[in-house]
Amino acid sequence: MSFEPSAFSDCRGSSQNLPRHSHRQVHSADLLPSGDIALAGIALRAGALCFICAFALNATWALRASFPQLPFFIALLAFFHFMEFWTTAQYNTRRAKLEGMIAFILTTNGAAYNIAHMSAIFEATIEFYLYPSLKKQCVVTIFGLILVVVGQLSRTYAMKHAGSNFSHHVAQKLEAEHTLVTSGIYSYLRHPAYFGYYWWAIGTQIMLGNPVCTVGFAAFLWWFFNTRIRHEERHLMVFFKRYSEYRSRSWVGILFAG
């Protein structure tokens, strides 16, 4: 979701294999317009994301003979942020707050995130007019879409399977409900949410036919996740005695990261 440290975390914290659903005690004040889970705010943001997604999909069809990838990229962004909030609300309820849903609309993910995606749109637009052949490589577009689908499914399933053990922040201390999730997708990938976003983001740029942003996204996200994973795993090695063994038999899925 973001290039800032708070947004991509794949923390889960004893070695039971199945995560628990998280239940949050809700007070009536939380549901008011100024509350963390204000019903009006949820309705407004969900509606806005759905409108953006629907409008972008309509534009994708309208531009199908020229450059449908660009509006489809907008639709993918809207869908991604909707799924971030819905998956958290469904499987990790106590951590669901409105800021998780407004990231796409109100830019709560930080300047780097927004600059990156604006740069992607700018590059795609300029190259469409200057080098239109770059945007008409069907095999490249399909390959990018495959990466997007794999990335989205991996991240969403990781959040679902980890349940209450998933956090958008790196845990600095072990909480009572934390377990080390090593089943499901976590039996193969120890940071599937990072894996998911990394390949989702790169896939969008390949789909757009953006050579500059593809390289830029890949380089920056590799640096970000490599740094993040090393920092996070130092905590996990302290939290769980079995983490070293788990680490030795699992994969990050991002080349040379971690």
Side-chain angles (χ1 to χ4, degrees):
M1 286 258 303
S2 159
F3 293 157
E4 292 190 338
S6 64
F8 288 114
S9 199
D10 197 6
C11 288
R12 57 250 180 240
S14 182
S15 55
Q16 297 176 13
N17 283 332
L18 295 178
R20 302 184 300 271
H21 285 273
S22 173
H23 299 285
R24 176 180 181 176
Q25 184 177 3
V26 177
H27 302 284
S28 58
D30 292 331
L31 304 177
L32 296 176
S34 60
D36 284 342
I37 50 174
L39 297 180
I42 291 173
L44 176 64
R45 290 157 178 82
L49 286 173
C50 289
F51 174 81
I52 292 169
C53 189
F55 181 83
L57 288 175
N58 185 65
T60 300
W61 177 254
L63 297 174
R64 64 190 181 276
S66 55
F67 190 26
Q69 299 99 308
L70 184 56
F72 192 64
F73 171 62
I74 304 299
L76 289 173
L77 274 174
F79 180 74
F80 175 85
H81 285 279
F82 175 81
M83 290 303 296
E84 288 288 290
F85 183 84
W86 181 85
T87 309
T88 303
Q90 178 72 13
Y91 299 104
N92 194 5
T93 310
R94 70 187 180 90
R95 297 187 188 275
K97 294 184 179 182
L98 282 179
E99 58 260 33
M101 200 173 188
I102 65 176
F104 176 72
I105 303 172
L106 300 181
T107 67
T108 59
N109 275 321
Y113 181 82
N114 298 291
I115 291 171
H117 288 103
M118 291 304 296
S119 297
I121 293 171
F122 178 77
E123 181 186 350
T125 303
I126 294 298
E127 290 175 350
F128 173 69
Y129 288 103
L130 297 181
Y131 310 104
S133 61
L134 276 176
K135 311 304 178 183
K136 299 184 182 298
Q137 305 296 321
C138 185
V139 173
V140 173
T141 300
I142 292 172
F143 177 65
L145 282 172
I146 291 172
L147 291 181
V148 167
V149 171
V150 169
Q152 181 70 67
L153 290 175
S154 298
R155 183 169 176 86
T156 300
Y157 180 67
M159 294 173 66
K160 173 185 180 295
H161 193 73
S164 63
N165 295 297
F166 186 90
S167 171
H168 283 84
H169 302 264
V170 173
Q172 304 297 319
K173 62 180 182 179
L174 184 63
E175 297 181 10
E177 71 273 15
H178 279 165
T179 64
L180 179 62
V181 182
T182 60
S183 62
I185 193 171
Y186 286 92
S187 63
Y188 306 100
L189 296 168
R190 62 182 182 274
H191 299 285
Y194 296 161
F195 167 88
Y197 185 83
Y198 181 82
W199 292 110
W200 180 92
I202 292 175
T204 62
Q205 299 312 298
I206 294 174
M207 178 200 72
L208 284 170
N210 283 355
V212 176
C213 280
T214 296
V215 173
F217 272 48
F220 185 89
L221 286 172
W222 182 90
W223 170 81
F224 177 89
F225 285 127
N226 183 57
T227 303
R228 178 86 163 194
I229 289 168
R230 290 175 183 270
H231 170 67
E232 183 175 320
E233 289 191 343
R234 283 197 293 270
H235 290 287
L236 292 169
M237 294 283 283
V238 173
F239 294 163
F240 306 108
K241 295 180 178 179
R242 292 184 61 247
Y243 191 79
S244 179
E245 182 272 331
Y246 168 63
R247 185 176 184 275
S248 68
R249 61 178 172 83
S250 57
W251 189 44
V252 174
I254 300 172
L255 195 62
F256 303 122

